[in-house]
Amino acid sequence: MEEKVIYMLSAVAVGWAVTFALRALPFALFAGRGRNPPQGVERFGKVVSPVVIAGLVVYSYSTLDAGGGPAWLTPWPYLAGALTVALQLAFRNSLASIVAGTALYMSLLSFSGCSSLPDSIELDSRHPVLSISGSSVKFADRLVSFNKVPRLLKSYDVPYDRPIHILAEGDLHDLRPARQLMAVLCKAGYTRPVLVRERHTESMTVERDAHERGMRGSPMAPPPPERRR
Amino acid sequence: MLRQFSRQGGRGARFAVFSRAVVDTLPILMGYSTMGFAAGVLMSVESGAPFAPLWAGLSAFAFVSGTLSFAIVPALASSESLVHIAVLALCVNFRYAFYGFSMIGRWKNIPLLQKLFLVHSLADEIYALDVACAVEDPAMNRFYCLCNHALSVMYWVCGTTLGAVAGAALPIPSKGIEFAMVALFLVIFTDQMRDAWKKR
């Protein structure tokens, strides 16, 4: 918790410092000396800025995640992007374009069944559902934040007393992220997180939302303790 | 400077400029409070940070940049290095380095603190209003810029904080909400292309 706070503080400070430095650059360069900026500078900016933004469009497309795989392999982000650009060209209302595009993308994702997670997970120490490398956590091979992990486990109806294996990948010089994840799990009621270095054998499959599918009470997923809901 | 104030009618003129800024920033109120709300929801849902509303408000005030507020969330969620965040900020806000050039002349001889605040909050829509400002008297023009910046920043910070509070409290469906950032870049790019096209 404390580390995250310090990290957030420094992240905000870094973001501010870079942004402010960019904004102050023209003033630092030209204000003091009473010189006027050369004509070329503004023209340069007008050429470079769209190029940078175009790069950002490509980059942000590549980071979109439609569950099992990257979203840029599906048509959904392109349809939503086309709607955004078309609305912006027609009405020049940035907010409306962004909201409409995002709403279309969100509904396409949910209707296409591009669920962001698999239907079932293996709670198997050979294929641990959780893995940690450096300071990033993966749930079913999907990068997630620490605090999301308990919610995800809950959505699969994982019993609280079930050992949850966390695969430590790479060399663990810094144990703090792993400890933080285990603390998060313990705090949420999952009392038996286990940090493993290698994959072992012992298998169990848990269906997602087994409760809603009437799977509750099956031998695969024993009824969870009282505090569950 | 003092003489100009009294010639213009002193406090009355200032009030007139202020109310003009209030009216002119109404579109910004609509845009920033709702965009901020979206950024706040995203931050509280995705970033995995404790006390999300606090961070949302603080970062909104520190960045005064919707682009960075959206773009930083995935980086925060996976605890990327500070260098990564610095490069990210440099890329998404590169365009801000060119806004100041047209303001150098206008913002000469301003008290340092006011000038720092003006530079700190030189974001897209705020800059557009500054440029379009038709107040001719230089002192009043600067006062208009100050009002514009202060009001817009207030809308932005309030919108973001409220969004983060709502995002933490309500079960807002969030799958795919990260597309808002892509859409924001697309919108900025579309506008830049249109401007470039028009100038031909």
Side-chain angles (χ1 to χ4, degrees), chain A residues 211-224:
Chain A
H211 169 61
E212 279 149 42
R213 290 177 202 175
M215 293 278 294
R216 200 177 182 189
S218 77
M220 299 298 248

Side-chain angles (χ1 to χ4, degrees), chain A residues 45 51 54 67 71 76-77 86 93 97 104 108 113 118 126 148 156 161 174 176 223:
Chain A
V51 173
W76 319 131
N93 184 336
S97 317
L104 178 65
L108 284 174
R126 256 192 310 176
K148 247 189 178 175
Y156 286 96
D161 53 353
D174 187 6
R176 279 176 299 178

Side-chain angles (χ1 to χ4, degrees), chain A residues 6 15 27 80 116 155 159 200 217-218 220:
Chain A
I6 292 169
F27 296 91
S116 59
S155 77
H200 300 284
S218 77
M220 299 298 248

